[in-house]
Amino acid sequence: MIQVFLPQDYPHSVSPDYLNYQIYDTLQALCSSVNGLFARRASLKRAGVGDATASVTNATLQWVLSDGTAMIGRILFAYGYSFDLDADLKLYRFMADIFNDFGMLLDMLAPLFPKEMSWMIICVSSLSFSLCGVCGGSTKAALSQHFAIRNNVADLNAKDGSQETLVQLVGIVLGSTVLQRVSDDDLVLSWIIFIGLTLLHLYFNYRAVKSVHLRTLNDQRLWIVMQSFLESGSVLDPVAVSKKEHFLWQNPIKLGVPLASILKDQEKPDSDRHCVISRHSLKMAITDNSNQELFKSYVLGCLLLSKKDPSDLDSFLDKLKTGLQDKGWDLQEYSLRISHQGWIYKTFE
């Protein structure tokens, strides 16, 4: 059974947090599968199944309109948030299921609205499922890279597909059994089951995401590491940092574009980094957008906000990097955001 559903040479071929994530991910997928049948029944009723006055042409046009909306939304969302999917992997993995549940909620509500509004409900529902696909698919690829510690991403994804297929089969059987016992006219019981499963679905997703201990540093994880390092001189490991992470976190440091991209014909200033600091936040232009420069600039920003002396920055960085490596952090890649818009350079007398 292990060979059928888990990667080859498990557990040595995956990271230690793989099993906990898969357990919660399986539970959330089962809840979603059963809920999906209730939403599908409601959407078929909305489309006119069982209604002698329903028009096939109208149903086709609604389908075309909803698919077009979903396609446009998918393109625009990927354009605006593609890098954030890496930088805030956990947030957008959780957001994927919020989009999914919202789409199913709209499907459940659709039969309650007048037919004249059905096309709007269909479009928003399809858009929500489309955004779920972008967030879920993109973050799944990044999570696979994290779990596969022996360059066995293909094997891990194949076995993950087998797990999902099994869960869907179980969900179909379980959901069909429940649907047979809950009439489509019994709205109260249908909604009680739907809401209960939705809450369970979100809970299991939250636990799944929180169980992941990412080894790459994004803005929030680096900020948490820096606060601990500045206070105690010790570096937290990925497990300790993951316990302190929050989905709704306001980044106090905003890294901007390289100075060369905004100076153009102006004379280069003496300093490589220029920043504007307020009471609780800092905005900084950077020398270039390489990984090491981003890391160095963010650490400098933490020192400035903490009112620490940044004069011996290189020595401080060497000590910090040594501690990060000892704790198992991946220092080859960083997921630190760069703000590309709205930057200008001004000098003041």
Side-chain angles (χ1 to χ4, degrees):
M1 185 65 70
I2 290 179
Q3 294 178 348
V4 175
F5 294 105
L6 292 175
Q8 186 176 2
D9 200 24
Y10 171 87
H12 307 293
S13 59
V14 295
S15 59
D17 51 354
Y18 173 78
L19 182 59
N20 280 341
Y21 175 82
Q22 290 301 121
I23 290 174
Y24 287 117
D25 188 57
T26 298
L27 292 173
Q28 67 86 15
L30 183 61
C31 293
S32 180
S33 182
V34 176
N35 249 3
L37 293 181
F38 279 90
R40 178 64 61 84
R41 182 171 70 177
S43 65
L44 290 174
K45 184 176 181 180
R46 174 202 62 199
V49 174
D51 185 358
T53 64
S55 169
V56 176
T57 301
N58 287 339
T60 303
L61 292 176
Q62 287 182 355
W63 172 74
V64 171
L65 184 61
S66 66
D67 267 23
T69 302
M71 293 174 185
I72 295 173
R74 185 184 301 120
I75 293 172
L76 294 177
F77 186 83
Y79 168 73
Y81 294 93
S82 58
F83 181 77
D84 288 348
L85 296 173
D86 281 314
D88 270 330
L89 173 61
K90 292 185 177 183
L91 171 63
Y92 284 98
R93 176 62 189 88
F94 187 68
M95 285 296 298
D97 291 286
I98 292 180
F99 286 134
N100 181 70
D101 288 342
F102 182 67
M104 288 194 291
L105 175 63
L106 291 177
D107 284 343
M108 290 288 292
L109 289 171
L112 305 179
F113 285 87
K115 290 185 178 180
E116 294 77 13
M117 297 181 61
S118 62
W119 67 272
M120 290 189 295
I121 303 296
I122 295 172
C123 288
V124 178
S125 173
S126 297
L127 176 61
S128 186
F129 287 128
S130 175
L131 299 185
C132 168
V134 176
C135 294
S138 302
T139 55
K140 179 181 177 180
L143 285 172
S144 296
Q145 291 284 350
H146 164 74
F147 291 133
I149 61 176
R150 290 189 177 177
N151 294 322
N152 55 332
V153 176
D155 176 37
L156 188 143
N157 283 334
K159 297 302 175 60
D160 186 62
S162 297
Q163 294 172 28
E164 290 180 357
T165 301
L166 177 62
V167 171
Q168 289 174 359
L169 288 172
V170 174
I172 289 174
V173 174
L174 181 60
S176 299
T177 303
V178 175
L179 281 181
Q180 289 178 352
R181 287 164 172 75
V182 180
S183 170
D184 57 346
D185 295 324
D186 193 346
L187 294 179
V188 175
L189 183 56
S190 295
W191 276 101
I192 290 175
I193 295 174
F194 179 81
I195 293 174
L197 288 175
T198 299
L199 294 176
L200 282 175
H201 178 238
L202 293 176
Y203 170 75
F204 289 137
N205 264 292
Y206 177 80
R207 292 299 302 270
V209 171
K210 290 293 290 183
S211 69
V212 177
H213 311 310
L214 296 173
R215 299 180 296 276
T216 55
L217 291 165
N218 67 353
D219 301 79
Q220 182 177 182
R221 288 189 285 275
L222 183 52
W223 174 263
I224 294 171
V225 167
M226 281 296 300
Q227 297 311 298
S228 173
F229 189 67
L230 291 173
E231 291 175 4
S232 63
S234 61
V235 175
L236 298 177
D237 61 19
V239 176
V241 170
S242 69
K243 294 178 180 179
K244 295 177 177 290
E245 283 186 274
H246 300 286
F247 290 151
L248 301 178
W249 179 77
Q250 185 66 38
N251 188 6
I253 297 176
K254 186 177 181 181
L255 298 180
V257 295
L259 285 174
S261 67
I262 54 176
L263 289 177
K264 297 180 180 179
D265 297 330
Q266 300 181 45
E267 183 179 353
K268 185 177 179 180
D270 296 332
S271 175
D272 286 335
R273 296 176 184 84
H274 287 245
C275 65
V276 176
I277 185 169
S278 62
R279 183 178 180 184
H280 299 295
S281 65
L282 177 145
K283 297 181 180 180
M284 179 184 296
I286 59 179
T287 306
D288 59 65
N289 56 1
S290 65
N291 276 328
Q292 295 306 316
E293 168 62 19
L294 291 176
F295 177 78
K296 188 174 184 178
S297 297
Y298 199 95
V299 171
L300 174 60
C302 291
L303 292 173
L304 293 175
L305 280 180
S306 302
K307 298 181 180 180
K308 302 291 185 180
D309 182 14
S311 58
D312 197 11
L313 181 60
D314 290 335
S315 175
F316 182 88
L317 284 170
D318 290 339
K319 183 179 178 181
L320 175 62
K321 286 184 177 181
T322 300
L324 289 169
Q325 290 175 338
D326 291 342
K327 292 296 184 177
W329 289 98
D330 181 5
L331 301 185
Q332 299 301 315
E333 297 291 338
Y334 301 98
S335 297
L336 302 173
R337 286 193 186 90
I338 303 177
S339 176
H340 293 276
Q341 303 296 329
W343 286 86
I344 58 175
Y345 183 79
K346 290 184 178 181
T347 58
F348 297 91
E349 299 295 337

